[in-house]
Each structure stands twice: as C-alpha cells, then as structure tokens.
Amino acid sequence: MPTGTRQDPIRLHYRSEQTVVVEPDDEDRFVVTAREAALACKQALDSIEWSKQWNDFLVRVHAWCQDHSSAVKAGYVTVGDSALNVLVCVKATDYNFDLEDELAEFDLELSQQFPLCRADVMQIPNQSELKSGLPGEAALVVYGDGK
C-alpha cells in the first residue's frame, strides 16, 4: 500500500473465536483468539488508566491531609480486605468529631474522582494502636513522617 493512504483498522471483537497471529518486535510469534487479543488490549489500557488514577489518588490524599494539617498528623494508604484504606491519623488522642463530616465528604470525593482506586477513609485517633497492628512495610506513608 502506498505511503500516506488510509487503511481501515483491524477489528478485534470480544465474542470472536477467530485466531490472530501476534508478532512482537522480539519475533516471538504466538497465536491467540481475537477475543484474547481484545481482552489483552483492554487490560493494557485499564492498567494505564489505573496507574494514572493511583498516582493522582496519592497526590490528592497528601493534599487533603496537608490542607487539614491543624488536625492531621499523618496519612497512610494500606490494602484492606475489599478496598484500599486511607488512614488519617489525627493529632488528638480521642476521635475528632469535628473532622467527621469532612472525612465523609473526602471519602465520597475519592470514590467519585478515582473509581479504579476504591478506598475507605478512616480516622485513627491513637497512633500507638496503629503502629502495633500495622507493620511499616504494609502502609504507604502519604503525609507526615509516619512516626
């Protein structure tokens, strides 16, 4: 085909069982169904979008903690049973009821803005309890010194 002419795109349908040959640059050819190829392409795009949302999510959690630095000592992100956990460690030793509504709004904002990074926002008033039940490797410190 001459250079500069338009070629129709190749269509990969999720329902198709037709086989296609994939030839990466390393010349390690393999045969998959069009369905498998389409799913792999979708997974790659989803992975790129998740990575972008993840980075933006961490930046947003840090910014929120910094904006509430008068009440917040540190912020962590951990992996929970069914979602990420955003642990907001407050400076007070007791539960900060004044911050409760803002945390609920923040939780809702995160779920709307970062749908691929499902998270639950929780307030942690007593950091000594947190340290005893959470190894340092299991938590990502996104704000504060983590001490």
Side-chain angles (χ1 to χ4, degrees):
M1 174 181 295
T3 306
T5 61
R6 183 184 153 125
Q7 184 179 20
D8 289 338
I10 297 170
R11 295 186 184 269
L12 300 175
H13 297 280
Y14 287 114
R15 294 177 302 275
S16 176
E17 291 300 320
Q18 180 180 356
T19 58
V20 295
V21 177
V22 179
E23 297 180 5
D25 286 340
D26 65 4
E27 298 183 22
D28 186 18
R29 294 174 185 90
F30 51 96
V31 177
V32 296
T33 65
R35 173 182 167 71
E36 291 168 330
L39 289 172
C41 291
K42 178 151 178 26
Q43 185 177 16
L45 290 174
D46 288 348
S47 177
I48 291 167
E49 179 59 25
W50 184 88
S51 181
K52 180 183 179 334
Q53 282 192 28
W54 169 246
N55 290 329
D56 293 346
F57 172 85
L58 294 176
V59 168
R60 180 63 189 116
V61 171
H62 174 84
W64 190 93
C65 290
Q66 191 168 34
D67 290 346
H68 295 82
S69 61
S70 61
V72 175
K73 179 179 180 178
Y76 298 89
V77 174
T78 65
V79 177
D81 290 337
S82 61
L84 297 169
N85 291 326
V86 176
L87 307 177
V88 177
C89 299
V90 295
K91 292 179 178 177
T93 56
D94 295 324
Y95 191 86
N96 184 338
F97 289 97
D98 295 334
L99 199 58
E100 186 173 10
D101 288 341
E102 291 184 64
L103 284 168
E105 288 175 19
F106 182 49
D107 186 86
L108 182 60
E109 174 195 330
L110 291 176
S111 69
Q112 291 172 343
Q113 196 170 5
F114 307 105
L116 297 178
C117 300
R118 275 196 40 226
D120 295 320
V121 178
M122 294 175 253
Q123 179 180 162
I124 308 294
N126 187 343
Q127 285 85 45
S128 63
E129 291 176 14
L130 176 67
K131 286 188 176 45
S132 65
L134 186 65
E137 306 85 51
L140 180 61
V141 179
V142 292
Y143 177 78
D145 60 11
K147 295 180 183 179

